[in-house]
Amino acid sequence: MDNFGGGGFGGGGYMQDGGGFGSPMTDSQEKKRFAAKAQSILPCTIKQLHSATYNQTDDSFKLGDNELNQVTIVGVIRDAQESATNIMYTVNDMTGDDLLVRKWIDNEESDTERDRRSACRENTYVRIVGHLKSFKENSRSLIAFYLTPVTDFNEITYHMLDVIHSQLALSKLPEMSGMTTPMRNTTPGGHGFQGQMTTPGRMGQGFGGDTGGPNIGLTGLSNQIQTMIKRCQSEQGMGFTEIKQKLRGVSDTQIRSTLEWLSNEGHIYSTTDDDHCKSTD
């Protein structure tokens, strides 16, 4: 499921690799850690965005002690007003008041992007990734740089669970700041989970080891797929079938939409055919 979840959506709160419990992070490591966190995409509800504290001096928002940079929401479009340069959406996720979302129209958008924009009409559930802005006192609006229709309604439930998970994980970050290694499974036999955190509190799936570190700006499914592709040593890259085998329980549509997004954002590129790709990193 396309999480952008991401969010999700990525890289925040990860810990450095190492062999056991060590000394606290150095200043440079701490700065890198929080720089990564600042670029992560945080799953939120619209009510959280409306309740975020705005600092007019540096034009920033905070949710509790955590700065909001990029956020992702899932909601239904109540109204859409299109002009020559942008579309203004009114979106609601049933947690609070409506939120205004502005999406600028790219004059050089592809046919795929145009079709996606056309599908985002009134009474359609959509996933949105963007930056929270305040253009007048006590107002909140989202400048969207990614907006796509929800094709699997399980994503709505998944997003709400991701919001809860991320907030719980962020609340525990101070307790984890002195740890220098990934957490490890200590169950008998030692076969379980072992990986680095790729979103606040979320452990990378690892697929038999650590994920090789976080992919900045990616979370959830997009981060998992990008990590797998990056680790693939084949000259033709990783195929769709192989990705699907590793992501059991995730639909073909979700995987393909995530691959499309990674390609559009410049994280991956096609090789021998449309079903094989490699990482640009």
Side-chain angles (χ1 to χ4, degrees):
M1 189 172 305
D2 195 346
N3 177 19
F4 296 112
F9 270 85
Y14 71 93
M15 291 178 285
Q16 304 294 324
D17 195 7
F21 295 97
S23 58
M25 294 180 182
T26 63
D27 288 342
S28 61
Q29 287 175 320
E30 193 73 11
K31 289 178 181 177
K32 289 179 181 179
R33 174 173 172 266
F34 285 103
K37 177 184 170 185
Q39 297 179 58
S40 66
I41 301 174
L42 185 68
C44 293
T45 64
I46 290 178
K47 182 176 182 179
Q48 287 177 317
L49 300 185
H50 280 305
S51 64
T53 304
Y54 179 60
N55 186 325
Q56 190 171 7
T57 303
D58 55 8
D59 190 27
S60 65
F61 289 89
K62 275 193 171 185
L63 190 59
D65 295 327
N66 302 294
E67 185 172 341
L68 295 180
N69 190 277
Q70 302 176 61
V71 299
T72 179
I73 61 171
V74 172
V76 63
I77 297 174
R78 296 301 192 194
D79 185 58
Q81 301 293 330
E82 183 170 352
S83 66
T85 58
N86 68 86
I87 306 175
M88 184 68 80
Y89 298 96
T90 301
V91 181
N92 194 289
D93 66 356
M94 318 306 169
T95 65
D97 296 334
D98 293 342
L99 180 71
L100 293 179
V101 178
R102 185 189 300 273
K103 179 72 167 65
W104 296 100
I105 299 175
D106 185 355
N107 294 328
E108 299 179 357
E109 66 182 355
S110 65
D111 291 340
T112 300
E113 292 170 331
R114 190 175 298 109
D115 291 342
R116 184 190 298 126
R117 175 163 59 84
S118 299
C120 296
R121 56 177 67 93
E122 292 180 14
N123 300 319
T124 301
Y125 269 92
V126 291
R127 175 174 288 282
I128 305 169
V129 182
H131 294 280
L132 189 61
K133 292 292 183 181
S134 177
F135 294 103
K136 58 183 180 179
E137 189 176 359
N138 296 325
S139 71
R140 299 288 186 275
S141 61
L142 202 62
I143 305 300
F145 54 83
Y146 183 83
L147 190 148
T148 187
V150 170
T151 56
D152 184 343
F153 285 100
N154 287 322
E155 184 170 355
I156 301 170
T157 303
Y158 180 86
H159 175 74
M160 296 305 294
L161 293 173
D162 207 22
V163 170
I164 296 169
H165 176 272
S166 297
Q167 293 303 314
L168 288 173
L170 284 169
S171 67
K172 295 181 180 179
L173 276 180
E175 303 172 17
M176 298 154 54
S177 61
M179 299 172 63
T180 60
T181 64
M183 289 184 175
R184 304 177 186 276
N185 191 323
T186 56
T187 55
H191 296 301
F193 180 102
Q194 176 178 332
Q196 291 181 322
M197 296 174 112
T198 54
T199 63
R202 183 190 300 280
M203 300 297 287
Q205 295 301 311
F207 304 105
D210 64 65
T211 61
N215 300 302
I216 303 303
L218 304 179
T219 65
L221 184 60
S222 56
N223 182 73
Q224 285 181 274
I225 293 178
Q226 168 70 356
T227 298
M228 286 190 291
I229 295 172
K230 187 187 297 185
R231 292 173 64 114
C232 179
Q233 300 300 311
S234 171
E235 289 186 1
Q236 67 177 1
M238 179 170 274
F240 175 83
T241 302
E242 185 178 358
I243 295 173
K244 182 180 177 181
Q245 289 173 346
K246 291 181 178 292
L247 295 174
R248 295 179 181 177
V250 180
S251 70
D252 289 8
T253 301
Q254 293 163 341
I255 295 174
R256 290 193 183 279
S257 64
T258 304
L259 288 170
E260 179 186 354
W261 184 83
L262 289 170
S263 177
N264 290 339
E265 294 298 312
H267 295 291
I268 61 175
Y269 63 95
S270 299
T271 55
T272 55
D273 56 44
D274 290 338
D275 280 342
H276 287 81
C277 50
K278 296 191 74 172
S279 173
T280 56
D281 294 343

PDB file of all heavy atoms in Angstrom, residues 250-273:
ATOM      1  N   VAL A 250       0.557  -7.106  -0.459  1.00  0.00           N
ATOM      2  CA  VAL A 250       0.417  -5.787  -1.079  1.00  0.00           C
ATOM      3  C   VAL A 250      -0.076  -5.990  -2.508  1.00  0.00           C
ATOM      4  O   VAL A 250       0.460  -6.806  -3.252  1.00  0.00           O
ATOM      5  CB  VAL A 250       1.755  -5.022  -1.086  1.00  0.00           C
ATOM      6  CG1 VAL A 250       1.586  -3.659  -1.721  1.00  0.00           C
ATOM      7  CG2 VAL A 250       2.296  -4.895   0.340  1.00  0.00           C
ATOM      8  N   SER A 251      -1.102  -5.257  -2.917  1.00  0.00           N
ATOM      9  CA  SER A 251      -1.716  -5.455  -4.221  1.00  0.00           C
ATOM     10  C   SER A 251      -0.812  -4.987  -5.354  1.00  0.00           C
ATOM     11  O   SER A 251       0.070  -4.132  -5.159  1.00  0.00           O
ATOM     12  CB  SER A 251      -3.047  -4.711  -4.307  1.00  0.00           C
ATOM     13  OG  SER A 251      -2.838  -3.307  -4.338  1.00  0.00           O
ATOM     14  N   ASP A 252      -1.049  -5.536  -6.550  1.00  0.00           N
ATOM     15  CA  ASP A 252      -0.294  -5.120  -7.743  1.00  0.00           C
ATOM     16  C   ASP A 252      -0.458  -3.627  -7.992  1.00  0.00           C
ATOM     17  O   ASP A 252       0.491  -2.937  -8.362  1.00  0.00           O
ATOM     18  CB  ASP A 252      -0.776  -5.895  -8.976  1.00  0.00           C
ATOM     19  CG  ASP A 252      -0.366  -7.359  -8.939  1.00  0.00           C
ATOM     20  OD1 ASP A 252       0.153  -7.819  -7.901  1.00  0.00           O
ATOM     21  OD2 ASP A 252      -0.549  -8.039  -9.949  1.00  0.00           O
ATOM     22  N   THR A 253      -1.681  -3.130  -7.796  1.00  0.00           N
ATOM     23  CA  THR A 253      -1.951  -1.710  -8.036  1.00  0.00           C
ATOM     24  C   THR A 253      -1.122  -0.823  -7.119  1.00  0.00           C
ATOM     25  O   THR A 253      -0.556   0.193  -7.549  1.00  0.00           O
ATOM     26  CB  THR A 253      -3.447  -1.412  -7.815  1.00  0.00           C
ATOM     27  OG1 THR A 253      -4.220  -2.224  -8.699  1.00  0.00           O
ATOM     28  CG2 THR A 253      -3.752   0.052  -8.077  1.00  0.00           C
ATOM     29  N   GLN A 254      -1.028  -1.199  -5.864  1.00  0.00           N
ATOM     30  CA  GLN A 254      -0.251  -0.402  -4.908  1.00  0.00           C
ATOM     31  C   GLN A 254       1.224  -0.405  -5.264  1.00  0.00           C
ATOM     32  O   GLN A 254       1.898   0.628  -5.186  1.00  0.00           O
ATOM     33  CB  GLN A 254      -0.459  -0.959  -3.498  1.00  0.00           C
ATOM     34  CG  GLN A 254      -1.877  -0.775  -2.987  1.00  0.00           C
ATOM     35  CD  GLN A 254      -2.177  -1.665  -1.800  1.00  0.00           C
ATOM     36  OE1 GLN A 254      -1.480  -2.649  -1.559  1.00  0.00           O
ATOM     37  NE2 GLN A 254      -3.219  -1.343  -1.073  1.00  0.00           N
ATOM     38  N   ILE A 255       1.724  -1.574  -5.649  1.00  0.00           N
ATOM     39  CA  ILE A 255       3.149  -1.664  -6.006  1.00  0.00           C
ATOM     40  C   ILE A 255       3.430  -0.836  -7.247  1.00  0.00           C
ATOM     41  O   ILE A 255       4.409  -0.071  -7.297  1.00  0.00           O
ATOM     42  CB  ILE A 255       3.559  -3.129  -6.226  1.00  0.00           C
ATOM     43  CG1 ILE A 255       3.434  -3.921  -4.921  1.00  0.00           C
ATOM     44  CG2 ILE A 255       4.997  -3.216  -6.741  1.00  0.00           C
ATOM     45  CD1 ILE A 255       3.683  -5.410  -5.077  1.00  0.00           C
ATOM     46  N   ARG A 256       2.583  -0.974  -8.276  1.00  0.00           N
ATOM     47  CA  ARG A 256       2.817  -0.245  -9.527  1.00  0.00           C
ATOM     48  C   ARG A 256       2.700   1.267  -9.336  1.00  0.00           C
ATOM     49  O   ARG A 256       3.465   2.041  -9.921  1.00  0.00           O
ATOM     50  CB  ARG A 256       1.851  -0.722 -10.611  1.00  0.00           C
ATOM     51  CG  ARG A 256       2.145  -2.140 -11.105  1.00  0.00           C
ATOM     52  CD  ARG A 256       1.393  -2.470 -12.387  1.00  0.00           C
ATOM     53  NE  ARG A 256       1.623  -3.842 -12.793  1.00  0.00           N
ATOM     54  CZ  ARG A 256       2.698  -4.260 -13.454  1.00  0.00           C
ATOM     55  NH1 ARG A 256       3.653  -3.396 -13.766  1.00  0.00           N
ATOM     56  NH2 ARG A 256       2.826  -5.529 -13.796  1.00  0.00           N
ATOM     57  N   SER A 257       1.736   1.703  -8.526  1.00  0.00           N
ATOM     58  CA  SER A 257       1.596   3.145  -8.290  1.00  0.00           C
ATOM     59  C   SER A 257       2.804   3.691  -7.536  1.00  0.00           C
ATOM     60  O   SER A 257       3.255   4.818  -7.790  1.00  0.00           O
ATOM     61  CB  SER A 257       0.308   3.442  -7.526  1.00  0.00           C
ATOM     62  OG  SER A 257       0.329   2.855  -6.235  1.00  0.00           O
ATOM     63  N   THR A 258       3.356   2.892  -6.617  1.00  0.00           N
ATOM     64  CA  THR A 258       4.554   3.317  -5.892  1.00  0.00           C
ATOM     65  C   THR A 258       5.756   3.368  -6.820  1.00  0.00           C
ATOM     66  O   THR A 258       6.558   4.315  -6.770  1.00  0.00           O
ATOM     67  CB  THR A 258       4.839   2.354  -4.724  1.00  0.00           C
ATOM     68  OG1 THR A 258       3.695   2.288  -3.875  1.00  0.00           O
ATOM     69  CG2 THR A 258       6.043   2.827  -3.913  1.00  0.00           C
ATOM     70  N   LEU A 259       5.895   2.368  -7.696  1.00  0.00           N
ATOM     71  CA  LEU A 259       6.985   2.370  -8.675  1.00  0.00           C
ATOM     72  C   LEU A 259       6.874   3.574  -9.599  1.00  0.00           C
ATOM     73  O   LEU A 259       7.877   4.213  -9.939  1.00  0.00           O
ATOM     74  CB  LEU A 259       6.967   1.075  -9.491  1.00  0.00           C
ATOM     75  CG  LEU A 259       7.407  -0.197  -8.759  1.00  0.00           C
ATOM     76  CD1 LEU A 259       7.106  -1.431  -9.614  1.00  0.00           C
ATOM     77  CD2 LEU A 259       8.898  -0.147  -8.413  1.00  0.00           C
ATOM     78  N   GLU A 260       5.660   3.894  -9.989  1.00  0.00           N
ATOM     79  CA  GLU A 260       5.448   5.056 -10.857  1.00  0.00           C
ATOM     80  C   GLU A 260       5.875   6.345 -10.150  1.00  0.00           C
ATOM     81  O   GLU A 260       6.530   7.204 -10.737  1.00  0.00           O
ATOM     82  CB  GLU A 260       3.979   5.138 -11.263  1.00  0.00           C
ATOM     83  CG  GLU A 260       3.663   6.342 -12.161  1.00  0.00           C
ATOM     84  CD  GLU A 260       2.183   6.490 -12.439  1.00  0.00           C
ATOM     85  OE1 GLU A 260       1.413   5.589 -12.039  1.00  0.00           O
ATOM     86  OE2 GLU A 260       1.798   7.502 -13.042  1.00  0.00           O
ATOM     87  N   TRP A 261       5.498   6.444  -8.863  1.00  0.00           N
ATOM     88  CA  TRP A 261       5.871   7.646  -8.110  1.00  0.00           C
ATOM     89  C   TRP A 261       7.386   7.753  -7.943  1.00  0.00           C
ATOM     90  O   TRP A 261       7.968   8.824  -8.129  1.00  0.00           O
ATOM     91  CB  TRP A 261       5.194   7.624  -6.738  1.00  0.00           C
ATOM     92  CG  TRP A 261       5.441   8.862  -5.938  1.00  0.00           C
ATOM     93  CD1 TRP A 261       4.768  10.045  -6.015  1.00  0.00           C
ATOM     94  CD2 TRP A 261       6.463   9.057  -4.958  1.00  0.00           C
ATOM     95  NE1 TRP A 261       5.299  10.954  -5.135  1.00  0.00           N
ATOM     96  CE2 TRP A 261       6.338  10.386  -4.479  1.00  0.00           C
ATOM     97  CE3 TRP A 261       7.464   8.233  -4.445  1.00  0.00           C
ATOM     98  CZ2 TRP A 261       7.180  10.894  -3.505  1.00  0.00           C
ATOM     99  CZ3 TRP A 261       8.311   8.753  -3.471  1.00  0.00           C
ATOM    100  CH2 TRP A 261       8.156  10.067  -3.012  1.00  0.00           C
ATOM    101  N   LEU A 262       8.034   6.635  -7.621  1.00  0.00           N
ATOM    102  CA  LEU A 262       9.494   6.630  -7.474  1.00  0.00           C
ATOM    103  C   LEU A 262      10.166   7.022  -8.776  1.00  0.00           C
ATOM    104  O   LEU A 262      11.173   7.747  -8.779  1.00  0.00           O
ATOM    105  CB  LEU A 262       9.969   5.243  -7.030  1.00  0.00           C
ATOM    106  CG  LEU A 262       9.643   4.835  -5.592  1.00  0.00           C
ATOM    107  CD1 LEU A 262       9.953   3.358  -5.377  1.00  0.00           C
ATOM    108  CD2 LEU A 262      10.418   5.686  -4.588  1.00  0.00           C
ATOM    109  N   SER A 263       9.610   6.568  -9.903  1.00  0.00           N
ATOM    110  CA  SER A 263      10.173   6.916 -11.205  1.00  0.00           C
ATOM    111  C   SER A 263       9.969   8.398 -11.506  1.00  0.00           C
ATOM    112  O   SER A 263      10.897   9.089 -11.943  1.00  0.00           O
ATOM    113  CB  SER A 263       9.520   6.062 -12.293  1.00  0.00           C
ATOM    114  OG  SER A 263       9.994   6.425 -13.576  1.00  0.00           O
ATOM    115  N   ASN A 264       8.759   8.903 -11.252  1.00  0.00           N
ATOM    116  CA  ASN A 264       8.465  10.314 -11.516  1.00  0.00           C
ATOM    117  C   ASN A 264       9.311  11.238 -10.659  1.00  0.00           C
ATOM    118  O   ASN A 264       9.657  12.356 -11.082  1.00  0.00           O
ATOM    119  CB  ASN A 264       6.982  10.597 -11.252  1.00  0.00           C
ATOM    120  CG  ASN A 264       6.073   9.953 -12.285  1.00  0.00           C
ATOM    121  OD1 ASN A 264       6.503   9.626 -13.385  1.00  0.00           O
ATOM    122  ND2 ASN A 264       4.803   9.757 -11.928  1.00  0.00           N
ATOM    123  N   GLU A 265       9.653  10.767  -9.426  1.00  0.00           N
ATOM    124  CA  GLU A 265      10.458  11.592  -8.522  1.00  0.00           C
ATOM    125  C   GLU A 265      11.957  11.412  -8.746  1.00  0.00           C
ATOM    126  O   GLU A 265      12.763  12.014  -8.044  1.00  0.00           O
ATOM    127  CB  GLU A 265      10.109  11.247  -7.068  1.00  0.00           C
ATOM    128  CG  GLU A 265       8.697  11.614  -6.661  1.00  0.00           C
ATOM    129  CD  GLU A 265       8.432  13.099  -6.756  1.00  0.00           C
ATOM    130  OE1 GLU A 265       9.258  13.877  -6.264  1.00  0.00           O
ATOM    131  OE2 GLU A 265       7.415  13.480  -7.350  1.00  0.00           O
ATOM    132  N   GLY A 266      12.328  10.558  -9.703  1.00  0.00           N
ATOM    133  CA  GLY A 266      13.738  10.410 -10.055  1.00  0.00           C
ATOM    134  C   GLY A 266      14.527   9.455  -9.182  1.00  0.00           C
ATOM    135  O   GLY A 266      15.754   9.464  -9.210  1.00  0.00           O
ATOM    136  N   HIS A 267      13.837   8.596  -8.414  1.00  0.00           N
ATOM    137  CA  HIS A 267      14.538   7.643  -7.548  1.00  0.00           C
ATOM    138  C   HIS A 267      14.934   6.369  -8.287  1.00  0.00           C
ATOM    139  O   HIS A 267      15.911   5.710  -7.913  1.00  0.00           O
ATOM    140  CB  HIS A 267      13.659   7.278  -6.342  1.00  0.00           C
ATOM    141  CG  HIS A 267      13.384   8.428  -5.425  1.00  0.00           C
ATOM    142  ND1 HIS A 267      14.357   9.008  -4.632  1.00  0.00           N
ATOM    143  CD2 HIS A 267      12.241   9.122  -5.189  1.00  0.00           C
ATOM    144  CE1 HIS A 267      13.815   9.998  -3.941  1.00  0.00           C
ATOM    145  NE2 HIS A 267      12.545  10.094  -4.263  1.00  0.00           N
ATOM    146  N   ILE A 268      14.175   5.997  -9.332  1.00  0.00           N
ATOM    147  CA  ILE A 268      14.457   4.781 -10.085  1.00  0.00           C
ATOM    148  C   ILE A 268      14.283   5.058 -11.572  1.00  0.00           C
ATOM    149  O   ILE A 268      13.703   6.080 -11.966  1.00  0.00           O
ATOM    150  CB  ILE A 268      13.532   3.606  -9.676  1.00  0.00           C
ATOM    151  CG1 ILE A 268      12.057   3.967  -9.947  1.00  0.00           C
ATOM    152  CG2 ILE A 268      13.740   3.236  -8.214  1.00  0.00           C
ATOM    153  CD1 ILE A 268      11.086   2.823  -9.694  1.00  0.00           C
ATOM    154  N   TYR A 269      14.788   4.138 -12.418  1.00  0.00           N
ATOM    155  CA  TYR A 269      14.594   4.257 -13.862  1.00  0.00           C
ATOM    156  C   TYR A 269      14.439   2.867 -14.465  1.00  0.00           C
ATOM    157  O   TYR A 269      14.943   1.881 -13.933  1.00  0.00           O
ATOM    158  CB  TYR A 269      15.774   4.987 -14.510  1.00  0.00           C
ATOM    159  CG  TYR A 269      17.103   4.283 -14.390  1.00  0.00           C
ATOM    160  CD1 TYR A 269      17.567   3.462 -15.410  1.00  0.00           C
ATOM    161  CD2 TYR A 269      17.897   4.452 -13.246  1.00  0.00           C
ATOM    162  CE1 TYR A 269      18.794   2.809 -15.294  1.00  0.00           C
ATOM    163  CE2 TYR A 269      19.121   3.807 -13.121  1.00  0.00           C
ATOM    164  CZ  TYR A 269      19.557   2.985 -14.156  1.00  0.00           C
ATOM    165  OH  TYR A 269      20.768   2.333 -14.034  1.00  0.00           O
ATOM    166  N   SER A 270      13.698   2.772 -15.581  1.00  0.00           N
ATOM    167  CA  SER A 270      13.473   1.500 -16.253  1.00  0.00           C
ATOM    168  C   SER A 270      14.734   1.060 -16.989  1.00  0.00           C
ATOM    169  O   SER A 270      15.520   1.884 -17.460  1.00  0.00           O
ATOM    170  CB  SER A 270      12.315   1.627 -17.249  1.00  0.00           C
ATOM    171  OG  SER A 270      11.119   1.967 -16.594  1.00  0.00           O
ATOM    172  N   THR A 271      14.908  -0.272 -17.116  1.00  0.00           N
ATOM    173  CA  THR A 271      16.099  -0.796 -17.791  1.00  0.00           C
ATOM    174  C   THR A 271      15.689  -1.560 -19.061  1.00  0.00           C
ATOM    175  O   THR A 271      15.393  -0.953 -20.065  1.00  0.00           O
ATOM    176  CB  THR A 271      16.898  -1.707 -16.844  1.00  0.00           C
ATOM    177  OG1 THR A 271      16.022  -2.745 -16.342  1.00  0.00           O
ATOM    178  CG2 THR A 271      17.434  -0.915 -15.668  1.00  0.00           C
ATOM    179  N   THR A 272      15.651  -2.897 -19.001  1.00  0.00           N
ATOM    180  CA  THR A 272      15.390  -3.697 -20.198  1.00  0.00           C
ATOM    181  C   THR A 272      13.948  -3.582 -20.672  1.00  0.00           C
ATOM    182  O   THR A 272      13.668  -3.691 -21.856  1.00  0.00           O
ATOM    183  CB  THR A 272      15.724  -5.178 -19.923  1.00  0.00           C
ATOM    184  OG1 THR A 272      14.982  -5.610 -18.780  1.00  0.00           O
ATOM    185  CG2 THR A 272      17.212  -5.348 -19.652  1.00  0.00           C
ATOM    186  N   ASP A 273      13.005  -3.387 -19.734  1.00  0.00           N
ATOM    187  CA  ASP A 273      11.601  -3.190 -20.087  1.00  0.00           C
ATOM    188  C   ASP A 273      10.924  -2.434 -18.948  1.00  0.00           C
ATOM    189  O   ASP A 273      11.586  -2.055 -17.970  1.00  0.00           O
ATOM    190  CB  ASP A 273      10.898  -4.532 -20.356  1.00  0.00           C
ATOM    191  CG  ASP A 273      11.019  -5.508 -19.177  1.00  0.00           C
ATOM    192  OD1 ASP A 273      10.843  -5.066 -18.015  1.00  0.00           O
ATOM    193  OD2 ASP A 273      11.316  -6.688 -19.414  1.00  0.00           O
TER     194      ASP A 273
END
